[in-house]
Amino acid sequence: MSPVIVVLAAVSAILALTMLFARNAITSALCLLGVLISTAGIYGLIGEHLVATIQLVVYAGAIMVLFIFSIMLLNLNREETDFKNKPGVFFGAIVLGMTVFGFIIYGLNEHFMGHRQDVTAGQFTPERIAELGGNSKVLAHALFSQYYVSFEVISLALLVAVVGAVVLAKRKFD
Amino acid sequence: METSCLLSWIIFTPMIFGLILLLVPTHFENSFRKIALIQTLVNAALATYLYMNFDGGNAGAQFTQMVPWLPDWGINYFVSIDGISLPLVMLTAYVGPVAILGTWPNVGPADLAHGVALKKEKFFVFCLMALQTGMYGTFLATDLFLFYFFWEVVLIPMFFLIGIWGGKERIYATVKFFLYTMVGSLLMLVAIFFLLKTSAETMGAPSADLYVLAKLSFAFDGSSLGAALKSPQTLLFLAFALAFVIKVPMVPFHTWLPDAHVQAPTVGSVFLAAVLLKLGTYGLMRIAIPLFPQAAHYFSSMFICLGVIGIIYGAFCALAQTDFKKLVAYSSVSHMGYIMVGLFAFNKIAIAGSLYQMINHGISAGGLFLVVGFLYERLHTRNLEEFGGLSKTVPLMAIAFMIMTLSSVALPGSNGFVGEFPILLGAFQVHPIYVLFAGTGVILGAVYALKAYQMVMLGPQTRTDLDHLHDLNKKEIISMVVLAVFVFGIGFFPKTFFGKSDATLEQYSNSLISKVSAQ
Amino acid sequence: MTSSLPLLILISPLIGFFINGVVYPLKLKGFAKTDPNLAGYTATFFIFLSFIMSCMAFGHLVGGGENPHVTSFVFEWFNFGGLSIPFELRIDKLSGLLCLIITGIGTLIHLYSTSYMHDEECVGRYFAYLNLFCFNMLLLVMGANLPLLFFGWEGVGLCSYLLIGFWYTDTEKANAGKKAFIVNRIGDLGFLIGMFLLFRELGTLDLAQINLMLTNPEVVIKIMPSVSLICFSLFVGATGKSAQMPLYVWLPDAMAGPTPVSALIHAATMVTAGVYMIARLNPLFELTPMVMSIIAHVGAITALFAGSIAIAQTDIKKVLAYSTVSQLGFMFLACGVGAYQTAVFHLMTHAFFKALLFLGSGSVIHACSGEQDMTKMGGLKKYLPHTHFTMLIGSLAISGIPFFSGFFSKDEILYSSIALPGGVSYLFVIGVLTAMLTAFYTGRMMSLTFYGSEKMSHDVKHHLHESPFLMTFPLYVLAFLAAAGGFLGVPHLLGDYLGHMPHVLSQWLAPVVPAKHLPLVGVKLPLHEGVVMAGSSIIAIASYFAGVAVFKKITFISDAFGGLTGLQKLLNNKYYVDELYAVIVVNPLKKISAFAGGIVDKYVVDGAVNGLGRGVRAVGNSLRVIQTGDLQTYGLLMLGGVLIAILFIYKVLV
Amino acid sequence: MNLLETFPLNNLGPAEYLSLMPLFVLAFGAVASLLVGSHKEKGHQYAFGVSFLSLMIALFQGTYVLFAADVSILNETLIFTPFTKTISLMVTLFAIIAVVLTFGQDKKEGLLPEVYGLTLFATAGMILMMSTSHLLFMFIALEIMSLAIYVKVAMRRTSRYSAEAGLKYFILGGLASALFLYGSALVFGATGSLQLGFIHNFLASHPNPSFIFYFGLGLILTAMLFKVGAVPFHGWVPDVYQGASTSVTGFMGAAVKFTAFMAFAKIAQNMVFVENVAGLAWFEKFIWVVAAASMIYGNFVAIAQNELKRMLAFSTIAHTGYLLLGLYAMNLGEASAEAVVLYLFFYALSNLGAFAIIAQFEEKNQKDLSFDQIAGMGIKHPVLGGLMTVFLLSMAGIPLTSGFIGKYGLFASAVGAGEVPLVVIAVLTSVVSVYYYLRVIVYMFMKEQTADVAMYQGLKGAGVAALISAAATLQFGLFPRAIMSFVKMISK
Amino acid sequence: MTNDVLIQVLAAFLFTMGMLVVLLRRDTIMVLMGIELLLNAANLSLVAFSKSNAMIEGQLQVFFVITIAAAESAIGLSILVNLYRNFGSIKTQSATTLKG
């Protein structure tokens, strides 16, 4: 395993933690941004260039900008004194989350130790992809040959989003 | 098996009239009762025709009609009549017009002042008709699902009758009535599911036909109480029995009855006492006992004991009442106890007696509630202490009341005796001690009945406002005369009235007793 | 033989009932409007009709061979699952006799009432009830099976209820009627149980069949274990109807009804139903000496008890009422010792003289414009000669003065109580004592009423008048019967002297009620019949005239002997029996019912139901708190759910 | 071997287009109604007209192709069988009723014309969701549906209740869909596919999958349970039902529940009810608990409510419990599948009707309809009262109404499958439910009218919707044979 | 331990963090970000799985998911604006008028 991935993973983990505990919304937003970027980096490192790019452009680029913009708009960048949670709730949540995390780890471990080979590997080994002309090309073909229905359907979602945003955020109510 | 639509006509005539009624504009208010009267008379005529053509020699189902309804679930619209349901159908048919006539609203300014005026008349009459459809259906259904269907349908109009036209506590009473019945009947529903499942397993296809289900036999182990309680037959039996004894009502499930009766409008009480309570005993007689004979027999002494408790307890409660209607209601509890005793005695005579008693109680209790209604409509009170010495002013009412009282204390020559004597005689052959206690009901019954009669009719007149207390009018006289004819007719000539049931009863009790003794 | 005669006998008073109860009111639109005479004569006519027919039926029986009877089968009453009860009437020698008594005396009393009740309102109602009573009474004696007997049995109870409460506006009277009905009901339960037992043992309720089956030894052996129970239950029924201890309490109160009613129902006919029933079922009772002795004891004790009360009463009708109870005690004593025909004999004579006495007292009361208190009478002899004469005969008869009817029957009872194997010596002593008391209080009554100083108020005195013919005529007829009736049962001892006069009655009843042979000397007590006879008659005469003499001046014995005040008080208050019953029976019942209806039902049974409802609501309300409205709480809940799912998975897998 | 061979272009034939047609119709209809909705005065009418029209077309077109041969698009991403088409039609029917219900209420409830378009989008999403058998595609469909609903819920912009409800629904819904996504990711990792059919086969061949599969499955089921609103994933239900405008709530209560439960059933059938996978036994226990909890919680808390919509919300939680009972029985008995479909269908109809009635009694921008407001309403407006009674009785499962038939079938199948204890719980809790349904009737018919707060202007669209639902309710309650045998046939 | 495992663990961790953010932060906007984080974690594991299975399905799905995420955040933010208009605050606990 490549050290760079380890570093990125560590970074994003730390950023995630910071995001959880940071007092300032802006800080958290920036942390999230960092997480997303490092995730993109990881994508890139494991050879998923197209995904990495989209991650950068859409997520880090568009969505986060939207967030930060609205934070500014509603000027929420004041200090948040505390979580306003009862300590019981707080630690309860933490414990719950950690338990879940533990279970996942347990599962992953079991998976990678034992059941890994149950899954029949696909044909798209790195060599095969390289032979077919690279990751992006393959994905593009796949997308528009097999998944174009989904692709079309997504447009519905976006349309709904647009309409919804307009309807909800329209300034004055007639 | 010959088929005929007559029963369907009997069942649905009220509904048809009801739907027609809904189309009549509301401002014909005063004619709605007339329509109801016509409908009940039509039903009475149909029932009489049925009675004429009923073959008393045939023990099995007659006038059967089978229309596929939900064949996938083995459920059909299957109605038929036999000697057991015949008297009850006749009862319903004749109580109908009597109740309508006896509670005919004569709206005067005084009544308006007391809010007895025609209130939502159309809906009222519609409820009455729906109620009748439900009752006929329950008595005539030969398909378990259909039975349950009508059994529940009965609740709805009654719910409205009590809830809308009832007294002060009407809402409490009606909700209690509905829920109480619901608890039992939903457990019964589960039992029905189980029956259908079993029938599907044993006969390949599910079937809710009672005659088919009667062929099923369920494991029963009477070796010890624990074993008995564990065996499926017991569970099924108890599930059904609970539903029915709540309706009967058997102590300790009786508390809905006084409330419902006291709050219900007179016509509602009449139907409730005369017919609705019989649904419970009919269910026991038709379903719970014959389908699960061993279990029923195993627990019979328990039920008889509860029945006896009901007789005595109900009598004592009745004795304690000052509300006339409540007194009659508790007397119903007491009298229905006899039926329980008779049904669970597993003795020919007693079983026959219980069937007779169902009819007789229907007549006497109905009559008594009518009398209560007469008084309430005139004096707007039910408190016994506010009456007294009325028979000087209203001799006819006094006579009617006396006749009904006699019937309710089971004086020989009145119908009450025809019911109670065989029950006690038959049950005595099996459970002498219980009957000894049940017999005390004969005394207590006299005590409270005469107490009521005396407090209302005898003694010096205490009220001063009796000037506008008028005696029975024509309609009321007719209704009471009809009842009186039945009281003495049955009292003297039971054979004439119940003769057509003998064959069925004979076969019924024979098969029952043989099943039990086989165990 | 079968004929429609019994049916006609039965029906005719019923027709009268309908005419008086339904036809006239319908025609005249109201009960109060019926003309008294019309009502009275109608009723009388119909009961007289059935009297005639009874005589015809009687004629059939005379010399009708071995146990002749006239039956008419009317219709099937019950018939299901082995319970077959035909509506069948049978007149045999016993019921024939009783039919005569009922219809005969009934006719007289109807006639009497016509005049007596003339000024009342709703006379139509009265006569309707009276006819209805006759119908039921006839059904009682003619019914061929126990349920029919029970039919009549309850029917007469109803009529007595209605007639006692005839003046219903008076709460006292209404209560008296209620009391009568309810106390009777207690007995009826016994009767019912007896019937059920009989049916279980014999499978039939037909009287003739029962008696027939009992001649069969196997059957006897079969029912032996339960026969005592059967007889006892039936006897309980009898005590209720015939006012024996401890159920006699209703009869004195029953005097609240009109006097002719007391005469007919509470003296002559209804109250003797118990005796009739026991006599009718004598083969059954024969089987159980134990119950027989119970009957004898109860009878004797009742006789003495009631007799002693009668001494201290001032209400003339109360005196007669208690004397009735005491005479009934005599009859039961006779039954108890096994002398059924004697009991029937006394029943008959008692019917004569007690009816006479009641009617006489009625005439007195009538004359004294409704006054019943003897202390406000006295010296009426010269105002009411006919009444006095007839009542004198009646009193002599009841006191057992020789050669009046009472003498023969009572004497026979007394002697049977020592001469028969069932007899007991001390019961004989009690009997003699009672006889003495009877004569004594009768004398007292006569003296207080007819002799002695006049104590009535002026206006009463002013209105004093002898009753009209319609009332005196029955008196004379009954007086004749009371005087001569005894000669139907002349004991052999006397009969031999009197030109071999036979004991007609016992011969007559023999097929139904076998006559017991009485030895010349008592077996229980070595007394010669003649001695008993002489002794009792001497005692009777002595105490009668003592009674007459003593009470010329005074009202109570205690007035003479001050020491007896306490006793006097006790007697005057009837031994406080009513109060006792109130304490041990009535009040507890009231309390129980109040408890059951007021506490148990409302708070325990119903409380459980409502409590359940409240519980559900409470649970609902407490569960609401989960719904905090904070979305992150909901999120936490979700996460918890996820965790639960995972835990389930984990549990299953590991 | 080059790309084109690796990814052959498989074009859609006429059959495929025909079966996709309803989607196209709905999509275009939606857009059209959005456009015409922007008209100044008559925006609402036009938008309603267009959307109603397109829904009708979709309905008829769907009926037309109902029994066409099965169509599977793009290696089983979308499968159109008579069954899926039928349930899609049912949803379309709900949408029609909902649209009619909205029309006439929209102004009062402060809804913009866009609501119709969004309804159409949501319907399209639902149809997709029922037709697909691919987890990710299901996710997309779910999102389309949900996004539209979020907007509809939050649409009453001047009402803070609406805003709050929108927020809650959105956040929790987003959480749920994230869980769904991560779950499907894990499943994908464990089985190597997102195709339900493939996963089924995989499980059949590997009876002992890895833990993360179960974990992922758990997350997916959680998401579905959230959508159907089962305890403990129910938190949003009452608040959203109450906050959203009544017509929207009606649509949600009917269509969304229906769709989500159908998807749930499909997932369960493919990923849970697999023979000889011992590990899946947990599912039964889990569902048992959730079902029992939902019945008890829903019914008991509903008793404590004094507002109509909120009460119905809790009752809907209880009904979810009953449905889960049916689902539970599904892996034991075959009959349950039909029973569940029928029950859902009947329940959705009655639910729509009930909300249609409530909508007419409500005031402008009202939070909820309190019991006191409906006091005496049944007397004042007998027709509405009668209809409401029908719906309530149907939900309570009283005969004469379809609710009874549905309940009967459901419980009967459960008992047939041998699960008696849960049925007993269900039955006893439904007694409780009878109490609070009756309470409404009591208030409507038996209480004296306190103040005439409820405004009701004549029979509007809502009335029509109520009438339609009532007619259906009674029809299926008395003569359910036809629809029963139909469902039996198509679910073969 | 290979890249796959590492990435999976990272995904799991991010997932947990996202969940905690959603549950614990009181700013609605933070909650939205938490959801984004959740989706991101899901994407990550999806891609990694499909990569390790030598497939491309995962990657393809990721496109859709990202699009959906964008749509969601758009709606979310507009709802948030709406909330801010009505309550003057975007704290979650401010929007608790519907309860019980």
Side-chain angles (χ1 to χ4, degrees), chain D residues 227-286:
Chain D
K227 282 290 173 196
V228 298
V231 177
F233 314 102
H234 65 283
W236 60 278
V237 177
D239 300 0
V240 173
Y241 270 47
Q242 206 173 9
S245 66
T246 309
S247 50
V248 176
T249 315
F251 183 62
M252 248 183 3
V256 176
K257 198 182 191 69
F258 187 87
T259 317
F261 208 93
M262 280 304 146
F264 188 18
K266 176 179 283 176
I267 291 175
Q269 243 156 356
N270 282 308
M271 290 170 69
V272 179
F273 304 146
V274 189
E275 290 74 13
N276 66 52
V277 181
L280 288 167
W282 66 273
F283 174 80
E284 292 177 16
K285 297 187 178 54
F286 181 57

Side-chain angles (χ1 to χ4, degrees), chain D residues 61-217:
Chain D
Q61 201 277 342
T63 331
Y64 172 65
V65 296
L66 185 52
F67 290 111
D70 295 3
V71 173
S72 141
I73 296 174
L74 299 177
N75 51 26
E76 299 183 349
T77 309
L78 287 171
I79 303 176
F80 294 98
T81 67
F83 184 74
T84 60
K85 286 182 227 163
T86 315
I87 51 181
S88 315
L89 285 180
M90 287 177 173
V91 167
T92 322
L93 182 66
F94 301 149
I96 291 174
I97 298 179
V99 166
V100 176
L101 158 59
T102 318
F103 186 59
Q105 298 298 320
D106 42 18
K107 285 221 179 56
K108 187 174 90 183
E109 295 179 359
L111 298 172
L112 305 178
E114 285 80 357
V115 71
Y116 298 103
L118 289 168
T119 312
L120 263 58
F121 280 128
T123 317
M126 290 165 182
I127 293 178
L128 280 171
M129 191 157 174
M130 307 225 239
S131 332
T132 184
S133 61
H134 183 283
L135 278 176
L136 251 301
F137 201 90
M138 196 177 274
F139 171 77
I140 295 168
L142 184 69
E143 279 300 324
I144 296 173
M145 175 179 90
S146 309
L147 289 173
I149 300 291
Y150 299 148
V151 177
K152 287 179 71 176
V153 168
M155 200 178 235
R156 277 201 296 179
R157 298 182 314 160
T158 52
S159 145
R160 53 196 348 228
Y161 303 120
S162 173
E164 177 181 346
L167 178 77
K168 284 176 180 169
Y169 195 22
F170 174 78
I171 301 285
L172 294 170
L175 182 59
S177 46
L179 293 184
F180 185 95
L181 189 64
Y182 190 61
S184 42
L186 289 179
V187 169
F188 174 66
T191 61
S193 168
L194 288 164
Q195 289 283 2
L196 287 174
F198 186 96
I199 296 171
H200 189 85
N201 303 336
F202 177 87
L203 289 175
S205 52
H206 303 81
N208 182 19
S210 71
F211 184 82
I212 53 168
F213 165 75
Y214 297 116
F215 194 98
L217 179 56

Side-chain angles (χ1 to χ4, degrees), chain B residues 52-239:
Chain B
M52 293 304 161
N53 297 336
F54 185 88
D55 168 17
N58 175 354
Q62 308 184 35
F63 297 93
T64 54
Q65 183 185 12
M66 159 98 75
V67 180
W69 189 20
L70 304 172
D72 319 354
W73 293 348
I75 290 163
N76 299 307
Y77 171 82
F78 182 19
V79 290
S80 75
I81 190 166
D82 66 2
I84 292 175
S85 29
L86 178 67
L88 291 155
V89 171
M90 300 305 292
L91 175 72
T92 320
Y94 283 103
V95 164
V98 168
I100 301 282
L101 272 179
T103 62
W104 200 277
N106 35 7
V107 182
D111 307 319
L112 283 164
H114 289 86
V116 239
L118 300 178
K119 180 178 160 202
K120 309 186 224 41
E121 179 75 353
K122 184 193 256 186
F123 189 31
F124 184 79
V125 174
F126 178 75
C127 283
L128 286 182
M129 294 171 171
L131 186 64
Q132 290 177 55
T133 293
M135 296 187 298
Y136 285 119
T138 321
F139 286 136
L140 291 172
T142 316
D143 180 288
L144 196 49
F145 182 89
L146 193 64
F147 175 87
Y148 183 83
F149 187 87
F150 282 120
W151 168 275
E152 297 262 314
V153 165
V154 169
L155 291 183
I156 300 163
M158 202 64 213
F159 172 72
F160 283 114
L161 279 176
I162 300 175
I164 299 182
W165 294 275
K168 272 190 191 57
E169 295 295 317
R170 59 185 191 279
I171 290 173
Y172 168 75
T174 193
V175 171
K176 192 174 183 181
F177 161 75
F178 201 104
L179 284 183
Y180 225 135
T181 322
M182 210 61 190
V183 175
S185 44
L186 278 172
L187 285 177
M188 169 162 81
L189 190 59
V190 180
I192 292 177
F193 299 146
F194 196 85
L195 277 180
L196 288 182
K197 172 166 175 268
T198 323
S199 65
E201 284 162 358
T202 48
M203 278 169 286
S207 163
D209 178 347
L210 278 173
Y211 288 96
V212 177
L213 292 175
K215 296 194 189 72
L216 298 176
S217 68
F218 301 89
F220 181 75
D221 168 13
S223 57
S224 74
L225 181 60
L229 282 175
K230 276 189 205 66
S231 45
Q233 189 180 135
T234 311
L235 298 175
L236 288 170
F237 169 69
L238 291 181

Side-chain angles (χ1 to χ4, degrees), chain B residues 471-505:
Chain B
D471 207 344
L472 300 186
N473 59 33
K474 285 223 163 29
K475 296 199 182 64
E476 295 164 337
I477 291 174
I478 294 170
S479 64
M480 292 319 281
V481 166
V482 173
L483 286 182
V485 166
F486 277 106
V487 166
F488 293 117
I490 294 177
F492 277 89
F493 312 106
K495 292 296 296 178
T496 330
F497 286 81
F498 297 124
K500 292 200 168 186
S501 308
D502 286 353
T504 314
L505 282 171

